[in-house]
Amino acid sequence: MAQTLVQINAPDATRGRVLGLYNMASMGLRAFSGVTVGLVGWMIGIHVSLAAAAGLLIVVIVALLARARRLA
């Protein structure tokens, strides 16, 4: 569903690059989240680790939205 939405909303001229970025980011975030939740969860606790991963995701989303608004 998410990839379909990316394909539909991506501009025609850059659709391939947008899909490539989406797939690369998706796989990278999965790997990073596994390290964060697994390794850091072992060290400081799983609940704190999950909260840190969610907090980092929110920070990245807010930064990307701010950048998108600035460019528009």
Side-chain angles (χ1 to χ4, degrees):
M1 178 78 170
Q3 185 161 352
T4 300
L5 290 173
V6 172
Q7 286 177 333
I8 291 171
N9 292 315
D12 291 336
T14 59
R15 183 167 289 136
R17 285 185 267 174
V18 170
L19 288 170
L21 176 63
Y22 171 77
N23 287 326
M24 184 179 68
S26 175
M27 297 305 270
L29 288 174
R30 283 184 198 154
F32 181 70
S33 180
V35 171
T36 301
V37 173
L39 183 62
V40 177
W42 170 72
M43 293 167 40
I44 62 174
I46 193 69
H47 291 93
V48 176
S49 178
L50 284 171
L56 181 62
L57 177 63
I58 290 170
V59 168
V60 169
I61 289 171
V62 169
L64 290 172
L65 283 173
R67 184 168 186 237
R69 286 187 180 153
R70 205 177 20 192
L71 292 175

